[in-house]
Amino acid sequence: MSERTLAIIKPDAVRKQVIGDIIHRYEQAGLRPIAMKMLRMTKAVAEGFYAVHRERPFFDSLTTFMASGPVVVLVLEGDDAIKRNRDLMGATDPAKAAPGTIRAVYGASIEANAVHGSDSPETAQFEIQYFFASMEFAGG
Ligand code: CMP
């Protein structure tokens, strides 16, 4: 079933100048970008995005990191896109991510883990509307 998922190329990956390689990996995997932009989150925007994690001990560090530099946010569309993107990313902790996954290749730590991807249809819906208005869907 065709699905949409939200992906973020995080500040660490933008600093490493691997935006192009990561987008290439999405496309090679059949995940089609249908909306995309580069932006820098404020701390408040990052806190709103990760609101489900607000009670976690890493919340302040995570949201400070996400506001530390520009990111690229994308909506990816394809069959089973949510799970397929998670498989492509690898485990949250790059040290545990399968070889060849984006986080294994580019992640440095559980916080600086290169990419984000929605983890369920409900979070995908929330996360997509958090960053994109309907008129920004150039490709879908
Ligand atoms: P992400 O997929 O963006 O969703 C939540 C993020 O919180 C996750 O990637 C990690 O970068 C971060 N995270 C999860 N667990 C921890 C942790 N134990 N310590 C620091 N950051 C974490």
Side-chain angles (χ1 to χ4, degrees):
M1 192 188 69
S2 185
E3 275 179 343
R4 291 177 177 185
T5 189
L6 186 91
I8 303 179
I9 303 175
K10 295 188 179 187
D12 58 317
V14 173
R15 282 192 277 270
K16 284 184 172 141
Q17 299 188 274
V18 293
I19 295 170
D21 182 64
I22 292 173
I23 294 175
H24 185 60
R25 286 166 186 259
Y26 295 145
E27 291 186 315
Q28 291 287 298
L31 296 167
R32 196 166 64 94
I34 58 167
M36 174 163 59
K37 59 189 168 187
M38 191 170 199
L39 57 90
R40 181 161 178 172
M41 293 188 217
T42 62
K43 178 99 155 95
V45 166
E47 287 170 356
F49 180 76
Y50 282 120
V52 292
H53 296 306
R54 66 184 168 275
E55 304 301 335
R56 305 280 193 104
F58 56 81
F59 182 69
D60 185 59
S61 178
L62 169 65
T63 53
T64 297
F65 168 70
M66 290 300 286
S68 70
V71 299
V72 177
V73 288
L74 311 88
V75 179
L76 303 174
E77 186 173 76
D79 288 338
D80 208 11
I82 295 168
K83 179 175 188 305
R84 287 185 37 237
N85 185 39
R86 292 181 71 77
D87 291 346
L88 193 63
M89 289 192 296
T92 305
D93 181 352
K96 296 179 185 150
T101 58
I102 295 171
R103 284 167 168 164
V105 174
Y106 293 125
S109 68
I110 197 161
E111 181 171 276
N113 64 354
V115 283
H116 168 82
S118 309
D119 65 4
S120 71
E122 295 71 32
T123 40
Q125 194 181 13
F126 167 78
E127 292 178 357
I128 290 169
Q129 63 80 36
Y130 193 81
F131 283 116
F132 291 97
S134 55
M135 68 181 209
E136 294 177 280
F137 285 79

